[in-house]
Amino acid sequence: MLFLLSLGLWATVVFGQTCPDYNEYSQQRNHPPFSSGRFRLPAQRPIPACRTFNSSEVEDTLQRLKGKVSDPDLYRLFENTYPNTLDTAIKWKGVAANNSEEELTFVITGDINAMWLRDSANQMQSYLPLLKPSDSPTSLASLWRGVINLQARYVNTSPYCNSFQPPPESKLKREEGTGDKVFPKYSNDTVFECKYELDSLAAFLEVSDNYYNATQDSAFFEKFQWVAAVQSVLKVAKDMMTPTYADDGRVNESPYSFTRQTDRASETLLNDGLGSPVLGGTGLIRSAFRPSDDSTIFQLFIPANMMFSRYLESAANIVAALRSPPAGLEQEMRDMAASLRRAITSYGIVDSQNGRIFAYEVDGYGSRNIMDDANIPSLLSSAFFGYVDRTDEVYQNTRRLVLSSLNPYWAKGPVISSVGGPHVGPGKGWPMALIVRIFTSDDEQEIVAALQTLLSTTDGLGLIHESINAFNVSDWTRQW
Ligand SMILES: *[C@@H]1O[C@H](CO)[C@@H](O)[C@H](O)[C@H]1NC(C)=O
Ligand SMILES: *[C@@H]1O[C@H](CO)[C@@H](O)[C@H](O)[C@H]1NC(C)=O
Ligand SMILES: *[C@@H]1O[C@H](CO)[C@@H](O)[C@H](O)[C@H]1NC(C)=O
Ligand SMILES: *[C@@H]1O[C@H](CO)[C@@H](O)[C@H](O)[C@H]1NC(C)=O
Ligand SMILES: *[C@@H]1O[C@H](CO)[C@@H](O)[C@H](O)[C@H]1NC(C)=O
């Protein structure tokens, strides 16, 4: 019967020219062949004709690791998930209407037809070890250039926004907008949602740096709108250092405000869209929302300031390699990267039950939020994205705290123990934080235990979920 089902699927695709909706497909456990380990995990890749991008580099990697990952369930989990962005999320790849040299790649996160700056940068980063210079339109390098060009377009158009509509060139249907009250105004022709998140801008620098680091292709960055986008990023960063009050006590006009009609506190901002007051002169950049798309409690959000500093510094190397960079741009980036680092050290390190640690958020007045959230950038991931060395004492103190019950969003239970967050609520552990835990550890036991949890929490689907109830393996959000 299983065999017949899969034959039926083939028939629809080959003769009917339609592919199954991956949201439904990925909730089924009946796709053979099953892995031979104790979890008997199904195959969850779409059939080749239904994949959204084919990469020989990724297929070769799957083949190469076949004999190397000896646990058949673990290999199946890798085989299902590693190519997943290419298999399901490259909704369109083409070129700009006014320039056939300018590649564009529209990458969706998962179940919404919109492109997030942060998510698309991180989705691409999975393939970074395989990225090599190439002009071929079927290469990962081409896919990357398309993401950078489209992100640059978005950042030039609406630098305060986090998530965007398909480009008109794609002729894809636009998503219904979110209908929020936002300043500065944006057009829902381009924007899906306009939550200002500092890490979205850091992500644009990250995806640029990742490409440059692997290819040394500085010429690419001179061709289209990249330099203007970097200038647009810097302008937002400077504007968002504006404190709540001017020296004479007057309330400053905020460069950004956001309100939504909602019954979730984390989906709108206090003070009619301004957020909590922020002290002036800290040198930190405000962020209205977190990488979870939840609002910040205090706007001086440390992980995004860390990530922004780290990628400003390396994106300055790209500017340095351009033949005719705008005067002063490279130095401005280096200076801001360094001053952010000083500001994080002055305002972002606080005393705790675990000694000196990084706070998650501060306001400059002395209020601090001691917690961590699974989404990247987080405090846990600050060593993963290269802001601190993992042996740094403050990082180690922080890491021990966020991986313990001293973190208000530590979800602990028999099914999974991991960092969670308010996006889906307490008691839900996120696999993403387990993966970051692995990336920031040299401890064999810790790594193996985290891998075992990843493997035992797929609920028989062979995919990695967004979050899992620490007490019920069948209660998860987002199957893939
Ligand atoms: C990927 O390759 C398969 C054949 O192996 C083909 O049917 C499919 O159209 C290709 N997908 C893309 C996006 O090129
Ligand atoms: C294409 O359009 C963009 C955005 O309007 C513009 O910045 C760019 O200069 C144009 N390119 C060409 C080759 O006309
Ligand atoms: C975009 O905004 C206009 C004007 O507010 C509204 O009429 C339209 O329905 C919106 N379109 C989408 C796709 O959200
Ligand atoms: C790429 O990044 C690594 C790690 O930051 C660095 O050591 C290396 O020098 C960079 N390589 C290039 C070619 O920029
Ligand atoms: C576990 O979660 C599933 C899915 O939400 C639900 O159907 C089931 O009743 C839950 N089990 C218990 C024991 O609560």
Side-chain angles (χ1 to χ4, degrees):
M1 193 191 143
L2 295 177
F3 183 59
L4 281 180
L5 263 175
S6 78
L7 259 187
L9 192 66
W10 261 103
T12 357
V13 171
V14 176
F15 307 114
Q17 305 284 309
T18 53
C19 289
D21 172 22
Y22 194 72
N23 190 16
E24 282 167 28
Y25 186 81
S26 58
Q27 292 188 56
Q28 298 158 3
R29 295 177 179 77
N30 56 7
H31 310 138
F34 298 93
S35 61
S36 58
R38 77 179 161 105
F39 292 108
R40 295 190 42 77
L41 300 177
Q44 291 284 27
R45 296 189 70 185
I47 61 164
C50 292
R51 295 176 189 162
T52 57
F53 188 81
N54 294 312
S55 161
S56 54
E57 294 104 318
V58 170
E59 297 307 325
D60 290 349
T61 302
L62 294 179
Q63 284 312 314
R64 186 165 56 79
L65 289 179
K66 199 161 202 159
K68 300 220 164 110
V69 180
S70 59
D71 182 314
D73 294 330
L74 185 59
Y75 181 72
R76 174 55 55 81
L77 186 63
F78 178 68
E79 193 182 22
N80 285 342
T81 55
Y82 189 59
N84 196 274
T85 286
L86 303 185
D87 284 351
T88 68
I90 310 298
K91 273 286 145 148
W92 180 78
K93 184 173 181 298
V95 294
N98 70 354
N99 187 346
S100 61
E101 305 262 284
E102 184 180 348
E103 294 153 296
L104 297 175
T105 310
F106 182 67
V107 184
I108 63 166
T109 300
D111 47 14
I112 304 174
N113 230 4
M115 174 156 156
W116 267 255
L117 296 176
R118 166 192 50 259
D119 297 355
S120 56
N122 287 332
Q123 282 165 285
M124 294 306 293
Q125 203 180 54
S126 306
Y127 307 112
L128 188 53
L130 312 181
L131 176 60
K132 300 185 296 280
S134 172
D135 292 330
S136 159
T138 60
S139 64
L140 288 173
S142 167
L143 205 62
W144 228 283
R145 289 190 294 270
V147 169
I148 296 170
N149 286 333
L150 188 55
Q151 286 206 0
R153 180 193 282 188
Y154 291 146
V155 167
N156 279 320
T157 313
S158 297
Y160 283 94
C161 301
N162 60 322
S163 169
F164 296 86
Q165 301 282 7
E169 288 93 338
S170 71
K171 309 232 170 22
L172 290 172
K173 194 174 141 293
R174 286 202 295 272
E175 282 282 344
E176 190 67 37
T178 47
D180 308 309
K181 256 166 71 184
V182 181
F183 176 81
K185 277 205 178 324
Y186 62 85
S187 160
N188 65 7
D189 287 344
T190 330
V191 171
F192 169 64
E193 184 176 68
C194 197
K195 288 176 170 171
Y196 160 62
E197 301 168 2
L198 176 60
D199 79 282
S200 293
L201 300 175
F204 170 64
L205 301 176
E206 171 189 56
V207 73
S208 302
D209 174 60
N210 286 168
Y211 176 80
Y212 176 66
N213 188 294
T215 64
Q216 298 294 293
D217 181 8
S218 59
F220 161 71
F221 293 94
E222 298 173 332
K223 287 184 189 155
F224 313 109
Q225 283 85 54
W226 188 80
V227 172
V230 170
Q231 290 170 315
S232 169
V233 164
L234 286 175
K235 173 154 180 13
V236 172
K238 281 182 288 191
D239 288 351
M240 288 311 296
M241 289 184 188
T242 308
T244 305
Y245 302 101
D247 288 343
D248 67 1
R250 254 181 281 242
V251 176
N252 283 320
E253 203 164 306
S254 178
Y256 174 82
S257 66
F258 177 105
T259 54
R260 172 177 294 181
Q261 295 268 352
T262 173
D263 59 8
R264 286 171 61 93
S266 54
E267 293 289 344
T268 188
L269 299 183
L270 280 184
N271 294 320
D272 296 319
L274 295 181
S276 293
V278 167
L279 187 71
T282 63
L284 292 166
I285 305 167
R286 291 161 56 186
S287 190
F289 289 88
R290 299 173 180 166
S292 57
D293 297 337
D294 301 321
S295 52
T296 49
I297 290 176
F298 304 120
Q299 292 200 338
L300 303 178
F301 175 51
I302 300 302
N305 276 274
M306 289 170 159
M307 181 180 174
F308 194 71
S309 169
R310 185 258 179 259
Y311 283 109
L312 262 184
E313 179 71 46
S314 51
N317 297 333
I318 307 178
V319 174
L322 302 178
R323 279 166 310 176
S324 50
L329 181 59
E330 177 198 347
Q331 196 55 44
E332 186 183 355
M333 293 165 80
R334 293 200 196 283
D335 289 348
M336 195 187 284
S339 73
L340 284 172
R341 192 171 270 281
R342 286 193 298 275
I344 291 164
T345 304
S346 303
Y347 291 91
I349 298 179
V350 300
D351 287 321
S352 79
Q353 298 176 65
N354 252 9
R356 287 167 65 67
I357 60 160
F358 291 111
Y360 191 63
E361 295 167 349
V362 298
D363 64 358
Y365 292 102
S367 292
R368 78 262 305 252
N369 183 0
I370 304 296
M371 61 167 270
D372 205 18
D373 181 289
N375 285 273
I376 301 169
S378 56
L379 294 175
L380 184 64
S381 64
S382 59
F384 167 63
F385 61 72
Y387 178 78
V388 282
D389 191 274
R390 75 164 81 127
T391 60
D392 180 274
E393 191 187 334
V394 176
Y395 174 74
Q396 278 300 327
N397 291 344
T398 311
R399 191 177 190 278
R400 265 186 289 116
L401 184 138
V402 304
L403 299 176
S404 82
S405 300
L406 293 174
N407 173 6
Y409 287 100
W410 175 246
K412 183 175 135 187
V415 170
I416 182 172
S417 293
S418 187
V419 182
H423 198 68
V424 294
K428 304 286 178 68
W430 288 49
M432 194 193 307
L434 279 177
I435 295 169
V436 171
R437 183 172 189 169
I438 291 171
F439 277 132
T440 54
S441 178
D442 285 322
D443 179 339
E444 191 89 357
Q445 264 187 326
E446 184 181 19
I447 293 171
V448 170
L451 277 174
Q452 278 168 340
T453 306
L454 285 175
L455 207 47
S456 63
T457 52
T458 84
D459 195 21
L461 289 167
L463 292 165
I464 296 180
H465 309 314
E466 178 185 49
S467 78
I468 297 139
N469 185 327
F471 286 84
N472 180 351
V473 75
S474 302
D475 182 18
W476 38 259
T477 57
R478 290 196 164 123
Q479 69 279 11
W480 92 103

